[in-house]
Amino acid sequence: MIVRTAGATSPDETVGTVIRQARGRLGYSQYGVADELVRISGNGALTRDEVARWERGKRIPGPYWRQWISQVLDVASSDLERAARAARLARRARRARARP
């Protein structure tokens, strides 16, 4: 049995970092997170690959998945919202730096 203890996130942490740290704290693999999200949401469209994309910052989970991630990883919804905003800002900054 996994004992969940919620942890606060810092304001500049991206959603990928929050997911990766919470997953590690709980001892879940990416497969385990995906399986739990599918189980509790009833939506079989999620795979480990999508969890990996979230963690690498390639994608930002939308509100639908964030509500389930909050439950599975025992992370406050407000922390996930803040982390999603931080990820969007980081993405914009990277794009701006990449422009000539």
Side-chain angles (χ1 to χ4, degrees):
M1 178 172 194
I2 296 174
V3 177
R4 296 180 179 188
T5 55
T9 62
S10 75
D12 59 341
E13 281 184 316
T14 64
V15 72
T17 300
V18 171
I19 291 170
R20 187 174 44 256
Q21 288 176 349
R23 180 174 64 78
R25 174 176 44 82
L26 296 171
Y28 281 146
S29 65
Q30 290 176 339
Y31 286 106
V33 170
D35 289 346
E36 277 299 299
L37 288 169
V38 166
R39 185 183 68 77
I40 69 165
S41 71
N43 183 336
L46 186 79
T47 66
R48 186 225 46 108
D49 293 329
E50 190 65 17
V51 174
R53 287 181 192 104
W54 293 339
E55 288 187 7
R56 289 192 319 264
K58 298 295 181 185
R59 293 206 180 145
I60 298 169
Y64 174 82
W65 285 114
R66 287 195 305 263
Q67 71 178 334
W68 299 115
I69 292 166
S70 175
Q71 290 181 35
V72 167
L73 297 180
D74 194 28
V75 175
S77 295
S78 60
D79 287 344
L80 285 173
E81 295 298 323
R82 182 174 38 253
R85 280 192 302 276
R88 284 190 291 276
L89 289 172
R91 180 183 285 175
R92 287 183 196 131
R94 279 192 308 272
R95 287 179 180 161
R97 285 191 305 269
R99 290 184 190 140

